[in-house]
């Protein structure tokens, strides 16, 4: 016979009360963004054109296989301190990195002093000035960019003189370069040293 006792409904244990404290979202560790420094210490936002002079790129007959030059072609300058013929050598390359020649010795003597002084953060830019089709050399325009505060130090380095030799091997005084200053905006301006002093093409 079935029991007549009433069935007792068992209650399920209540779950723990939810916390009223607000949930704190934990941030995922992110990568810190580092500001990229300009390579070589130059090319900063405060750089200005300090001036230019006209040199010569010599020995180009040895690198004819690296392409044909054209007037106003932009070029790169690189120090070549291990050059067996001149410890002050400044090599000239295309923007693609191909060898073009070297800056003539009488100018490299002083320009190397600027390139080797890393405290000044000077950036040198070159281009074929004229007569790109010459066989042995062509006029090379060399421009200097950097903080205006180091203009005096650059001028001092370039004014340095010492006995050297031209690309024909003849002894002559090297260095003594005077930059042609950029013309001020809105005025006639002028160039210091009457067209670049001994920095003219030789």
């Amino acid at each position: 016979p079935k029991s007549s006792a009433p069935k007792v409904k068992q209650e399920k244990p209540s779950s723990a009360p939810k916390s009223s404290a607000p949930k704190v979202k934990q941030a995922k560790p992110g990568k810190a963004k580092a500001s990229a420094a300009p390579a070589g210490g130059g090319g900063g936002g405060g750089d200005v054109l300090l001036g230019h002079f006209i040199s010569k790129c010599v020995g180009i007959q040895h690198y004819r296989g690296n392409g044909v030059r054209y007037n106003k072609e932009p070029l790169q300058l690189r120090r070549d301190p291990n050059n067996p013929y001149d410890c002050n050598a400044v090599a000239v390359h295309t923007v693609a990195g191909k060898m073009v020649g070297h800056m003539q010795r009488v100018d490299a003597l002083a320009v190397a002093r600027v390139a080797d002084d890393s405290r000044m953060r000077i950036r040198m830019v070159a281009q074929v000035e004229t007569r790109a089709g010459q066989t042995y050399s062509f006029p090379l325009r060399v421009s200097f960019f950097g903080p205006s505060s180091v203009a005096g130090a650059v001028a001092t380095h370039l004014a340095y003189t010492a006995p050297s030799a031209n690309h024909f091997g003849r002894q002559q005084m090297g260095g003594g370069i005077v930059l042609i200053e950029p013309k001020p905006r809105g005025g006639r301006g002028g160039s210091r040293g009457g067209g670049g002093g001994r920095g003219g093409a030789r």
Side-chain angles (χ1 to χ4, degrees):
K2 294 181 179 179
S3 173
S4 60
K7 294 181 178 179
V8 178
K9 189 175 182 182
Q10 296 181 351
E11 296 182 359
K12 297 180 179 179
S14 60
S15 58
K18 295 181 179 179
S19 173
S20 59
K23 293 182 178 180
V24 179
K25 188 175 181 181
Q26 294 183 351
K28 295 180 180 180
K31 295 181 179 179
K33 293 182 179 180
S35 57
D47 288 357
V48 297
L49 173 62
L50 302 176
H52 77 275
F53 78 100
I54 307 300
S55 179
K56 277 185 180 179
C57 180
V58 299
I60 61 177
Q61 70 274 17
H62 302 299
Y63 307 101
R64 285 297 180 187
N66 290 340
V68 178
R69 309 277 66 81
Y70 58 90
N71 288 343
K72 309 307 178 186
E73 177 184 1
L75 300 169
Q76 295 180 344
L77 299 177
R78 300 179 187 175
R79 274 287 280 121
D80 187 12
N82 297 320
N83 188 292
Y85 303 103
D86 182 14
C87 63
N88 296 312
V90 177
V92 182
H93 295 255
T94 67
V95 293
K98 294 183 178 181
M99 190 74 173
V100 175
H102 282 85
M103 180 185 295
Q104 62 179 357
R105 287 189 186 187
V106 291
D107 291 335
L109 173 75
V111 172
R113 295 171 63 88
V114 177
D116 293 345
D117 193 343
S118 58
R119 299 170 300 173
M120 297 194 303
R121 301 189 302 108
I122 295 300
R123 180 167 54 96
M124 296 185 295
V125 177
Q127 72 174 30
V128 180
E129 182 68 358
T130 57
R131 303 198 295 276
Q134 294 294 305
T135 303
Y136 302 104
S137 65
F138 59 76
L140 181 72
R141 183 186 182 102
V142 182
S143 301
F144 296 79
F145 292 85
S148 57
S149 58
V150 301
V154 172
T156 300
H157 278 320
L158 294 177
Y160 173 79
T161 58
S164 183
N166 62 19
H167 58 287
F168 295 113
R170 301 192 187 103
Q171 291 295 314
Q172 68 178 83
M173 192 63 69
I177 298 169
V178 179
L179 289 182
I180 301 172
E181 294 180 346
K183 294 181 180 179
R185 294 181 180 179
R188 291 184 178 182
S191 60
R192 181 177 61 188
R198 79 169 303 282
R202 293 176 290 282

